[in-house]
Amino acid sequence: MRNAGFRSAGAGALAGLAGGLVFGGVMALIGYLPTVAALVRTDSPVVGFAVHLLIAAIIGSVFGALVAGQRELLFWGLAYGVLWWFLGPLTLLPVLLGRTVAWDVSTAQALIPSLLGHLAYGAVTAAALALLRGGERQFRPGLVVRASTAGLLAAPVLGIGWNGLIVGALVGVSYAVVFGDRDEGTGPALVRGAAFGFAWWVLAAVTIAPLLDARGLDWTSAAVRAAVVSLPGYLLLGSGTALLTCWLGGLSRAVFSDDVRHAFEGRLAGGRVISIWHGVIAGLAGGVIFTGVMVAVGFLPVVAALVGSESAVVGLVIHLLISQVVGVTYAVFFRRRSFDPASGVGWGVSYGFLWWVLGNLTLLPVLLGAEPRWSGAGLALAFPSLVGHLAYGAVLGLLYQRLEERVGPWHLTRSEATAARAAARREQTLSAAPALWSLIACVALLIPILVS
């Protein structure tokens, strides 16, 4: 066991060096290496690069040890990069240089290039560690066709044109190559797709687009703020691609496979009708909590405008009805996917964030006869609604999980159901699910920094 831990840490250190080389190149371009060199009382970029690589190898070894048992690493790497952006340049670096911690929005905005560099570090470190681990991934042409088709079908969210179609196809193909054929259910696929869409926004809209426009690597806060208008589109593109890939895969299995075992695996909850009622109750509870935010910002009349009214009471009724409908979709999409309160809150918060993008930023203005509120100003104005959606999702996911836990399947005793749920919880912990929850929460918290 100890030797395995040392091997994981050693592989992580090598992977961290690979990520550090990429990140170091970015730091050289943005002129940040002298700041790192100040840790050893010099301002030499060469010394700063050496110190940076040493730090990259150390935190890479920690990453290797932490994810030793994980089956997929991309989202763990991205979440780890965001964590070290907060711990490093915002916290530890100022303290080591004799300053106060930089926990204010203006400083965080100035360090957006460092945030993007940390994301690149996390992604490259995760990819390098996966290569060092080895393992075989079967190439499945059918999956690539399904995923690329899904990307093309979802591409119109970025606008009609060749650019959108090309990006959609690339997102679909890369989704198939990176994740393989996953039978994980609609809800987790939606969340995975949103996180993948965020990664593609950083890669395509923030990084590649300026390079193609001959602007170089333009990771300034102003450039990122200008690119944020496409962030909701990439989030929806990723979710749509994952959703359609999941559904097309299910259709393919239903049509071409006679193995029905997957239809009975992991049934740790009661019947579908009971689950839907649980979704109604949990959605209503989340809607009541969300109402406090809507009253505080005076948003209920806007909701009432959906039925041609300006009454706050009518808006409250419509809001609670929508909350229950969303709760029902959560019950349909995430049934048998939360096995403890942490996973319930994780999936719920992630789903609440998705509904902020799909509902408040997109469907609501369109239904009211306006354009989607995807601009930086629109996202900034919608931030109180984001807080409400996150609170709604947390209550929805937690209450739904607690209700589902009380109703076991008829064919299992209570002890058997508890053991099966514990095994499923362990399996979920070894997947990317906790990293997905963390990354979606980080994206939500970064919104004020990206748009202010």
Side-chain angles (χ1 to χ4, degrees), residues 285-313:
V288 170
I289 298 298
F290 194 176
T291 300
V293 176
M294 301 187 78
V295 170
V297 299
F299 201 71
L300 288 176
V302 177
V303 178
L306 289 171
V307 292
S309 174
E310 297 180 354
S311 168
V313 176

Side-chain angles (χ1 to χ4, degrees), residues 151-244:
L152 288 172
L153 292 174
V157 297
L158 294 180
I160 304 298
W162 286 109
N163 289 339
L165 291 176
I166 291 173
V167 172
L170 289 174
V171 169
V173 171
S174 60
Y175 186 87
V177 171
V178 172
F179 302 119
D181 197 1
R182 307 190 60 81
D183 185 16
E184 61 183 351
T186 300
L190 282 169
V191 177
R192 176 186 296 275
F196 195 57
F198 171 73
W200 258 98
W201 175 73
V202 174
L203 176 64
V206 178
T207 305
I208 296 178
L211 292 174
L212 294 178
D213 292 339
R215 289 186 282 137
L217 187 66
D218 192 357
W219 280 0
T220 62
S221 59
V224 173
R225 189 160 53 248
V228 83
V229 66
S230 62
L231 175 58
Y234 274 92
L235 294 172
L236 294 179
L237 172 61
S239 286
T241 300
L243 174 68
L244 293 173

Side-chain angles (χ1 to χ4, degrees), residues 67-267:
V67 300
Q70 302 302 131
R71 299 192 181 96
E72 52 180 303
L73 302 177
L74 174 62
F75 295 122
W76 285 108
L78 293 172
Y80 193 65
V82 176
L83 172 66
W84 271 104
W85 176 68
F86 178 78
L87 289 178
L90 291 179
T91 307
L92 294 177
L93 183 60
V95 170
L96 292 174
L97 295 178
R99 309 168 188 164
T100 58
V101 294
W103 290 355
D104 57 278
V105 173
S106 61
T107 303
Q109 285 180 319
L111 290 173
I112 282 179
S114 176
L115 167 64
L116 298 174
H118 278 82
L119 287 170
Y121 169 81
V124 173
T125 299
L129 184 57
L131 290 174
L132 289 171
R133 282 184 178 182
E136 296 183 358
R137 180 182 294 275
Q138 294 182 350
F139 178 76
R140 298 185 178 182
L143 172 62
V144 174
V145 171
R146 292 201 307 270
S148 57
T149 301
L152 288 172
L153 292 174
V157 297
L158 294 180
I160 304 298
W162 286 109
N163 289 339
L165 291 176
I166 291 173
V167 172
L170 289 174
V171 169
V173 171
S174 60
Y175 186 87
V177 171
V178 172
F179 302 119
D181 197 1
R182 307 190 60 81
D183 185 16
E184 61 183 351
T186 300
L190 282 169
V191 177
R192 176 186 296 275
F196 195 57
F198 171 73
W200 258 98
W201 175 73
V202 174
L203 176 64
V206 178
T207 305
I208 296 178
L211 292 174
L212 294 178
D213 292 339
R215 289 186 282 137
L217 187 66
D218 192 357
W219 280 0
T220 62
S221 59
V224 173
R225 189 160 53 248
V228 83
V229 66
S230 62
L231 175 58
Y234 274 92
L235 294 172
L236 294 179
L237 172 61
S239 286
T241 300
L243 174 68
L244 293 173
T245 302
C246 176
W247 285 358
L248 290 173
L251 179 62
S252 175
R253 285 188 293 271
V255 173
F256 298 110
S257 175
D258 59 358
D259 186 355
V260 298
R261 288 175 297 176
H262 68 275
F264 300 96
E265 291 176 355
R267 290 195 168 179

Side-chain angles (χ1 to χ4, degrees), residues 364-390:
L364 179 60
V366 168
L367 292 174
L368 294 177
E371 295 291 326
R373 296 197 298 172
W374 289 4
S375 65
L379 268 67
L381 289 174
F383 185 72
S385 176
L386 171 59
V387 175
H389 277 83
L390 296 179

Side-chain angles (χ1 to χ4, degrees), residues 309-328:
S309 174
E310 297 180 354
S311 168
V313 176
V314 173
L316 175 61
V317 173
I318 299 299
H319 161 67
L320 292 179
L321 287 175
I322 294 174
S323 298
Q324 293 175 71
V325 171
V326 174
V328 169

